[in-house]
Structure formats: structure tokens, C-alpha cells
Amino acid sequence: MAPQKKIKLNPLQSKTLVLLQVLAKDPNSSMPIEGSEDVRITSLPHAHGNHMHVGPYVISSKDATGLDNPAVFVALARKGLIQESYENGIVITAEGLAFSTGLEDKFMSVSDH
């Protein structure tokens, strides 16, 4: 069995992927794909001034700029973390769901409103 290729993400790709992972766990913003471990993101958050709500968290809008950047989605698709047809809706793959960015608890805080 060949060793798995190590996937490297730049900071913007990492932040975007962790946000997609949080959205994938929230039934208000995602739905599982039947017969698959992949999850379809059904709604993306919108900024309220300098922050946005992502699942139960509040994050700085500056940490979510990748959600509006097609180049980030191209890179995540190329690495197999989301499906390539992201233009028609974002589907995070099982690999993307399992990938650890190291940011899981770094820049999000639980919302107080």
C-alpha cells in the first residue's frame, strides 16, 4: 500500500475548511448525502459588520474571506477535500470532514447572541 500524500493547506484554505467542517455539523446549514459520507453545505453565513455566525460560533469576518474566494474552493477541490462541482453547491468530502487543520478551537468563540 502506497503512503498517503500529505496535504498542505495555506492559512486561508485552512480557515475556510474548518468553517466548512463546522457548517457540515450544523443541520441548519447542511445535509448528509444519502449513500455517502460526504455532506452538502446548504447555506453559507453572511457577515454582520465585523463578524458572522457559523453554527454555534461567532467568527471574525476577516477569518471567513475564503468563503467568497473561488481560488480557495479550486484548491480544496484539487486536494480532494470538497467535490470539484463546488460551483453548483459545496459538498465537503469524507476526507475534508476528517482533515485536521489545527484550527478547530483557535479562532472561533461560542456565540452569546
Side-chain angles (χ1 to χ4, degrees):
M1 185 168 143
Q4 287 207 340
K5 179 180 149 192
K6 181 150 173 76
I7 297 174
K8 292 186 180 184
L9 301 179
N10 70 31
L12 185 57
Q13 293 164 359
S14 293
K15 288 178 185 178
T16 303
L17 181 59
V18 77
L19 294 176
L20 293 175
Q21 291 169 336
V22 170
L23 290 169
K25 292 177 187 172
D26 184 349
N28 295 316
S29 60
S30 68
M31 61 185 278
I33 297 175
E34 194 171 325
S36 170
E37 293 181 36
D38 299 349
V39 175
R40 179 175 309 283
I41 304 300
T42 57
S43 86
L44 291 174
H46 298 285
H48 306 289
N50 66 350
H51 72 282
M52 66 176 51
H53 300 269
V54 179
Y57 303 103
V58 174
I59 63 157
S60 170
S61 296
K62 68 181 172 85
D63 287 327
T65 58
L67 294 175
D68 294 322
N69 186 331
V72 171
F73 291 110
V74 168
L76 293 175
R78 187 178 63 244
K79 295 172 186 201
L81 303 172
I82 65 172
Q83 286 185 1
E84 289 188 29
S85 60
Y86 63 88
E87 303 92 347
N88 300 318
I90 300 166
V91 174
I92 185 168
T93 64
E95 293 81 8
L97 291 167
F99 189 88
S100 175
T101 63
L103 298 176
E104 290 79 11
D105 297 320
K106 301 276 192 265
F107 69 97
M108 295 186 281
S109 60
V110 176
S111 174
D112 62 354
H113 66 280

